Amino acid sequence: MITVYDQEYFQGRRMEFTASCQNIMECGMENIRSLKVECGAWVGYEHSSFCGQQFVLEKGDYPRFEAYSGSNSYRIERMISFRPICYFFFLSFAQNHKDSRMIIFEMENMMGRQFEMCDDYPSLQAMGWFNNEVGSMQIQSGAFVCYQYPGYRGHQYIMECDCRGGEYKCYREFGSHAQTPQIQSIRRIQH
Amino acid sequence: MITVYDQEYFQGRRMEFTASCQNIMECGMENIRSLKVECGAWVGYEHSSFCGQQFVLEKGDYPRFEAYSGSNSYRIERMISFRPICYFFFLSFAQNHKDSRMIIFEMENMMGRQFEMCDDYPSLQAMGWFNNEVGSMQIQSGAFVCYQYPGYRGHQYIMECDCRGGEYKCYREFGSHAQTPQIQSIRRIQH
């Protein structure tokens, strides 16, 4: 469940959601200025219908927009749509994000050098990846969030085994806002 | 080693450092607009002499200021000083960030409920921590970065076993810019 408010610090009008919302304005709310994730993991989007910049929302309190917006390199002012990451709703309590597995590839279409990941990597280069880009990826299990810069900064791309058959064949499939294949940190999304 | 540039995208004047720098302006550089971390893990600071807002810098490319600044909730314009996280220079190649261990406490002075951490936690509440604050902490081994909001967002506080004997007894010891004990995600710093 996710609870959204139209004012900062959990003030003002309040709405609860247990499923995705394609356009918060159609629910009569102008903007979301704070929110609480009570359970599950969610993805927020800049535009309606799950378009534009995306950002992961895990359990916790987000008292101001700056707490949940994705990146400070590209200014976004709103969160208009959001959806749960469904994978986590099918997990038993015994399982968790530790079961996430993916492969990153040097080139598009799962070609070139590859590396299998099942942990969190705040710096791909520190783990031995040879440059600051990822050409394509295959999510075998679970869900990950990939970031443009080291240390989980910059644009976010949420990758799920349940979307596109888990295959992201080139950077244009990473997200509608992706302009380069630059990815320098990757982590599992927490259940 | 860290290489800093006075223009974005690794352009302009260039300087290399293998040890800490207390004031980049005293080295004749007005500002740092891009940087590359070649080895080790470093901490950048907003002001000279390692004061003001702090942000972790792991191996990788940081082409613009927005790529390495700590938080978008509080606008900082500069990185004036930086230092290596020394713990990592004493590790053998066989060891790595997986050896990091810390305990978080509900109240100041290591009192109240506690939890031992040796992994990465993008949401403390998802792992079972009862609220959005941490009263005090004890770093037993390695180094961690604590964040104000879930998903590694907001103000950063770098915590090391080699500083203050690893003891951070109240939120005012978390960093010179800490104004509340609000901490919602914690991760190990990567070697």
Side-chain angles (χ1 to χ4, degrees):
Chain A
M1 195 178 75
I2 186 169
T3 310
V4 301
Y5 303 81
D6 70 356
Q7 300 299 324
E8 290 190 341
Y9 296 99
F10 321 116
Q11 303 292 313
R13 182 137 180 246
R14 171 181 185 280
M15 295 183 81
E16 285 176 7
F17 292 84
T18 53
S20 63
C21 169
Q22 204 166 320
N23 189 337
I24 191 69
M25 292 190 282
E26 286 177 0
C27 302
M29 195 179 267
E30 256 316 287
N31 199 353
I32 296 170
R33 291 206 173 78
S34 57
L35 64 90
K36 289 184 188 207
V37 174
E38 324 272 358
C39 69
W42 299 68
V43 190
Y45 294 86
E46 180 186 12
H47 301 307
S48 61
S49 303
F50 321 115
C51 290
Q53 193 168 158
Q54 53 190 243
F55 30 90
V56 65
L57 300 167
E58 285 146 320
K59 189 171 178 177
D61 298 347
Y62 301 79
R64 307 195 308 148
F65 181 75
E66 293 80 8
Y68 58 86
S69 64
S71 155
N72 49 8
S73 62
Y74 169 64
R75 197 165 305 280
I76 51 172
E77 304 292 337
R78 287 164 183 277
M79 172 173 128
I80 299 298
S81 57
F82 49 91
R83 64 174 179 82
I85 296 177
C86 291
Y87 175 74
F88 295 110
F89 287 96
F90 299 117
L91 289 180
S92 72
F93 283 107
Q95 294 174 293
N96 62 22
H97 70 296
K98 292 196 195 312
D99 303 308
S100 296
R101 277 184 305 116
M102 72 181 283
I103 302 173
I104 58 172
F105 298 86
E106 177 186 4
M107 292 154 66
E108 296 192 351
N109 296 309
M110 291 56 172
M111 308 276 282
R113 277 182 275 189
Q114 56 179 270
F115 188 87
E116 185 166 343
M117 317 184 77
C118 52
D119 199 351
D120 296 343
Y121 301 93
S123 163
L124 294 191
Q125 288 184 60
M127 94 179 179
W129 191 245
F130 57 97
N131 76 3
N132 62 14
E133 296 183 349
V134 172
S136 54
M137 33 192 140
Q138 189 167 32
I139 316 304
Q140 296 167 308
S141 168
F144 289 84
V145 52
C146 304
Y147 296 84
Q148 187 182 10
Y149 301 127
Y152 310 128
R153 298 179 178 95
H155 284 314
Q156 297 181 22
Y157 310 107
I158 287 97
M159 307 295 186
E160 292 155 84
C161 65
D162 301 325
C163 291
R164 299 174 178 274
E167 295 196 338
Y168 297 85
K169 291 180 184 156
C170 69
Y171 76 82
R172 289 173 299 278
E173 295 184 356
F174 295 175
S176 66
H177 61 299
Q179 284 166 358
T180 73
Q182 188 178 37
I183 289 180
Q184 297 192 72
S185 49
I186 295 179
R187 69 175 179 87
R188 298 160 295 175
I189 295 175
Q190 195 170 36
H191 181 213
Chain B
M1 195 179 74
I2 186 169
T3 309
V4 302
Y5 303 81
D6 71 355
Q7 299 300 324
E8 290 190 341
Y9 296 100
F10 321 115
Q11 302 292 314
R13 185 141 175 243
R14 170 181 187 278
M15 295 182 80
E16 285 179 6
F17 292 85
T18 54
S20 62
C21 169
Q22 204 165 320
N23 188 338
I24 190 70
M25 291 189 282
E26 288 177 0
C27 303
M29 196 180 266
E30 256 315 287
N31 198 353
I32 297 170
R33 290 206 174 81
S34 56
L35 64 90
K36 289 185 187 205
V37 175
E38 324 273 358
C39 68
W42 299 69
V43 190
Y45 294 87
E46 180 186 12
H47 301 307
S48 61
S49 302
F50 321 116
C51 289
Q53 192 167 159
Q54 54 190 241
F55 30 89
V56 66
L57 300 168
E58 286 146 320
K59 189 171 179 177
D61 299 347
Y62 301 78
R64 307 196 308 148
F65 181 76
E66 293 80 9
Y68 57 86
S69 64
S71 155
N72 49 8
S73 63
Y74 169 63
R75 197 164 307 278
I76 51 172
E77 303 293 338
R78 286 164 184 277
M79 172 171 130
I80 299 299
S81 57
F82 48 91
R83 65 175 179 81
I85 296 178
C86 290
Y87 175 75
F88 295 111
F89 287 95
F90 299 116
L91 289 180
S92 73
F93 283 107
Q95 293 175 292
N96 63 21
H97 70 296
K98 292 197 195 311
D99 304 307
S100 296
R101 277 184 303 117
M102 72 180 282
I103 302 172
I104 59 173
F105 298 87
E106 177 185 5
M107 292 154 66
E108 294 191 352
N109 296 309
M110 291 56 172
M111 307 277 282
R113 278 181 274 189
Q114 55 179 270
F115 188 86
E116 185 167 343
M117 317 186 78
C118 52
D119 198 352
D120 297 342
Y121 301 93
S123 164
L124 294 191
Q125 288 185 60
M127 95 181 178
W129 191 246
F130 56 97
N131 76 1
N132 62 13
E133 296 182 349
V134 171
S136 54
M137 33 193 140
Q138 190 168 31
I139 316 303
Q140 296 167 308
S141 168
F144 290 84
V145 51
C146 304
Y147 295 84
Q148 187 182 11
Y149 300 127
Y152 311 126
R153 297 181 179 95
H155 284 315
Q156 298 181 22
Y157 310 108
I158 286 96
M159 308 294 187
E160 292 156 82
C161 65
D162 302 324
C163 290
R164 299 172 179 276
E167 296 197 336
Y168 297 84
K169 291 179 183 157
C170 69
Y171 76 83
R172 289 173 300 278
E173 296 185 355
F174 294 174
S176 66
H177 61 299
Q179 286 167 356
T180 72
Q182 188 177 38
I183 289 181
Q184 297 193 70
S185 49
I186 296 179
R187 68 175 179 89
R188 297 160 297 173
I189 294 174
Q190 195 169 36
H191 181 214

